[in-house]
Amino acid sequence: MSPDKTRSIWLATLERYRHDSDRPASTAIWSPRLESASRDELRAIQDEKLRAAVPFLYENSAFYRRRFERLGLVPGDIRDFEDLAAKWPVVDKSEIMADTLEHPPYGTHSAMTEALWAERGWMMLSSSGTNGVPRVFRYSHIDREQCAWANARALYATGIRKGDTVFMMTGYGAHIFAWGMQVALFKMNLPTLPDSGMDAQARASVVLRFRPTILLCTPSYALHLARGIQALGHDPASVGVHTILVGAQPSLSIESTRQRIEELWDARLVEFYGCTEIAPHVGGYSCYALKQGGQVATHLAEDIQIWETVDPDTKRSLRAGARGLTVCTSLNSETSPQLRFLVGDFATFDAGRCACGRTHVRALGLFSGHADDLVNLHGVKRNPTQIEHAMRSIPNSGEEFESVIETDAAGLDTMTVCSEYPDHGSAAEMLCHRLTEDIRSRCEVPAGVEVVPPGTLPKFEFKAKRVKDKRRK
């Protein structure tokens, strides 16, 4: 089958399942036909999309064709998810980075062509490049429409409605978060307050003057902005913000962080989850029933993606309820569908029906850190979120912290946690002792603690860099 023919079939399949494309079909759920479909119906949608996506990628992506050939497979060998999980090893970042280096500047992992880019190219976005070469992805205007529809559905699930005004405190760079939110808010006909590189005082003034009801930012910046509003003599809880939508950093899964943000603002914290490699839109999102049975959970968009967890060592697919690393097969893009991309966050999935009425799988306890972020100290691997759990549990501790790992003169690896705290007297000494013991208890590794004045450590508007690894490699 020709590249053009497989593209036509793929686009027709995407359109067939783009129900309620322009407006919500109910007051509670944007698309009940998709979001409340039975598990069998969801699997049938996924499998039909997969049967169109596989030949499309084979014919339109040199990266995928080479991988098929290397595995001794042809498109007909993968007819459903069971075939995919059994025959197709996960794709990780290193493969895409190697492809980008070998075929600069874009790599061959995308189905975007120069002719398509000239005809209906929308935007080139990239990963952060934190763990290597940034991966770039060129998207079409069809991708933009798919992105707006998917994100609007997710925003609707969080409770955002007509009458809300959104203050977007995210950078409009080459990262997808802000752009994906913007096109979705356009589709929902909701007003936005854009941010053109303002500092914290200017943003605090916008909140006080224009009274947005929704804040879009990172968790650490929500804490920082609240302190800025307090410094101007106002209470963040009285400014009318009822929802804070965060992304790029974990927060809902860290109970002390979530409580601190919600108490400061007297607002509800909701979260978007995803990554640039798998789609220009959301993968996971909060609903109004995000906390059930004392445990927070995030829905994953299963009519447009297939989510699974895999064993961290063997990378084999795990049954529902088993903790593993997240893997996504993305089935909602003209130019960048992906087959079993290793997103790499630890999660446990539950396929039971949610109290909100949605049937899409939920990540229980959310996502407990990324495999790439694990710090190996004295043979013990721990995630930086465990340090944050310890930090946020201490009243009046500052909003920022960082862990510095170094090799001392004797060749021993050491970790020092630097924490902001307003009191440098006896209270700071007590903080150091408590935090040292808490980190030892949670992480099973010793750590030194250093207290610094508020405002010493950098503030992050995108992904916070909490670990500085200065060890000799």
Side-chain angles (χ1 to χ4, degrees):
M1 205 180 303
S2 71
D4 287 345
K5 179 64 174 176
T6 58
R7 186 180 295 273
S8 295
I9 293 172
W10 173 235
L11 294 181
T13 304
L14 289 182
E15 187 61 31
R16 187 176 308 123
Y17 290 105
R18 197 157 71 98
H19 299 319
D20 309 303
S21 58
D22 294 322
R23 61 186 62 84
S26 80
T27 57
I29 297 176
W30 185 289
S31 183
R33 282 187 291 177
L34 295 173
E35 294 167 57
S36 299
S38 71
R39 299 300 304 170
D40 287 343
E41 288 171 327
L42 284 172
R43 180 60 82 203
I45 292 170
Q46 292 170 343
D47 286 346
E48 183 170 346
K49 286 188 173 184
L50 197 58
R51 284 190 288 272
V54 167
F56 168 69
L57 285 169
Y58 182 84
E59 294 293 344
N60 290 275
S61 164
F63 170 84
Y64 274 96
R65 179 182 280 267
R66 289 192 300 269
R67 206 170 195 266
F68 269 97
E69 292 171 349
R70 189 166 67 249
L71 293 169
L73 297 172
V74 295
D77 293 327
I78 298 177
R79 303 293 298 170
D80 54 28
F81 173 70
E82 297 302 323
D83 285 341
L84 184 71
K87 301 174 183 179
W88 187 265
V90 297
V91 178
D92 64 23
K93 294 178 183 178
S94 65
E95 286 189 67
I96 295 182
M97 283 192 285
D99 176 60
T100 302
L101 289 171
E102 188 175 351
H103 305 280
Y106 308 114
T108 61
H109 48 268
S110 168
M112 175 64 77
T113 66
E114 295 307 316
L116 183 64
W117 182 248
E119 178 186 348
R120 57 173 180 266
W122 169 46
M123 191 173 292
M124 186 180 77
L125 300 163
S126 85
S127 66
S128 62
T130 303
N131 299 304
V133 178
R135 280 80 64 198
V136 296
F137 298 84
R138 293 186 295 173
Y139 292 110
S140 72
H141 280 284
I142 291 177
D143 291 323
R144 175 182 56 78
E145 285 295 328
Q146 296 294 114
C147 175
W149 170 67
N151 279 355
R153 288 169 53 190
L155 288 171
Y156 199 74
T158 69
I160 296 176
R161 295 291 188 274
K162 289 286 179 120
D164 283 321
T165 299
V166 183
F167 186 17
M168 301 190 53
M169 293 178 289
T170 55
Y172 284 85
H175 305 296
I176 185 54
F177 188 44
W179 297 108
M181 292 295 100
Q182 190 71 75
V183 295
L185 292 167
F186 285 165
K187 177 172 278 292
M188 298 174 77
N189 292 319
L190 291 179
T192 60
L193 305 178
D195 181 339
S196 57
M198 300 177 189
D199 61 18
Q201 186 173 358
R203 286 170 173 152
S205 297
V206 168
V207 172
L208 294 171
R209 183 180 179 189
F210 299 111
R211 303 288 168 149
T213 57
I214 312 288
L215 300 183
L216 181 66
C217 58
T218 61
S220 58
Y221 203 84
L223 291 166
H224 177 56
L225 183 64
R227 300 306 184 194
I229 289 175
Q230 288 175 334
L232 294 175
H234 297 271
D235 180 4
S238 67
V239 299
V241 171
H242 65 71
T243 301
I244 301 173
L245 194 156
V246 297
Q249 301 168 211
S251 58
L252 280 177
S253 60
I254 303 173
E255 181 72 12
S256 49
T257 297
R258 181 180 63 81
Q259 286 183 349
R260 183 176 292 195
I261 294 173
E262 291 187 335
E263 288 172 2
L264 277 169
W265 289 94
D266 189 24
R268 181 169 172 265
L269 191 68
V270 296
E271 189 170 67
F272 262 33
Y273 170 75
C275 73
T276 305
E277 285 90 347
I278 58 171
H281 56 71
V282 69
Y285 56 89
S286 305
C287 70
Y288 72 80
L290 67 88
K291 190 170 184 180
Q292 300 177 51
Q295 191 173 34
V296 291
T298 288
H299 281 287
L300 294 163
E302 286 196 283
D303 63 286
I304 55 178
Q305 295 167 334
I306 304 173
W307 285 91
E308 56 181 307
T309 56
V310 298
D311 183 275
D313 298 317
T314 66
K315 302 301 186 293
R316 290 180 180 172
S317 190
L318 299 173
R319 59 176 174 78
R323 184 174 182 269
L325 298 179
T326 51
V327 168
C328 181
T329 294
S330 189
L331 302 171
N332 196 46
S333 170
E334 175 185 20
T335 59
S336 192
Q338 301 290 333
L339 303 181
R340 300 195 80 208
F341 180 80
L342 180 65
V343 181
D345 291 301
F346 288 98
T348 302
F349 290 165
D350 175 54
R353 179 180 287 270
C354 179
C356 74
R358 291 174 178 83
T359 55
H360 293 201
V361 72
R362 293 173 299 144
L364 298 179
L366 305 183
F367 307 94
S368 54
H370 198 283
D372 287 349
D373 295 333
L374 290 177
V375 174
N376 191 330
L377 189 65
H378 305 162
V380 178
K381 291 184 178 181
R382 290 293 179 262
N383 199 282
T385 57
Q386 293 173 292
I387 304 293
E388 184 167 354
H389 275 289
M391 289 294 311
R392 303 298 191 208
S393 65
I394 298 174
N396 301 319
S397 61
E399 315 309 345
E400 297 298 339
F401 68 93
E402 69 178 14
S403 303
V404 180
I405 304 175
E406 300 176 286
T407 304
D408 66 15
L412 181 68
D413 291 343
T414 64
M415 180 169 68
T416 301
V417 177
C418 187
S419 171
E420 294 184 345
Y421 198 68
D423 190 336
H424 283 257
S426 59
E429 187 176 336
M430 292 176 61
L431 169 70
C432 289
H433 176 74
R434 177 176 171 180
L435 191 53
T436 298
E437 292 303 313
D438 204 353
I439 291 172
R440 184 188 296 272
S441 173
R442 291 175 185 271
C443 302
E444 300 177 0
V445 294
V449 176
E450 179 184 353
V451 176
V452 298
T456 301
L457 299 174
K459 313 301 177 188
F460 295 98
E461 297 176 24
F462 194 55
K463 291 184 178 180
K465 297 176 176 62
R466 302 292 193 196
V467 178
K468 287 185 178 179
D469 195 338
K470 298 181 178 180
R471 288 178 288 189
R472 297 192 292 269
K473 303 298 183 181

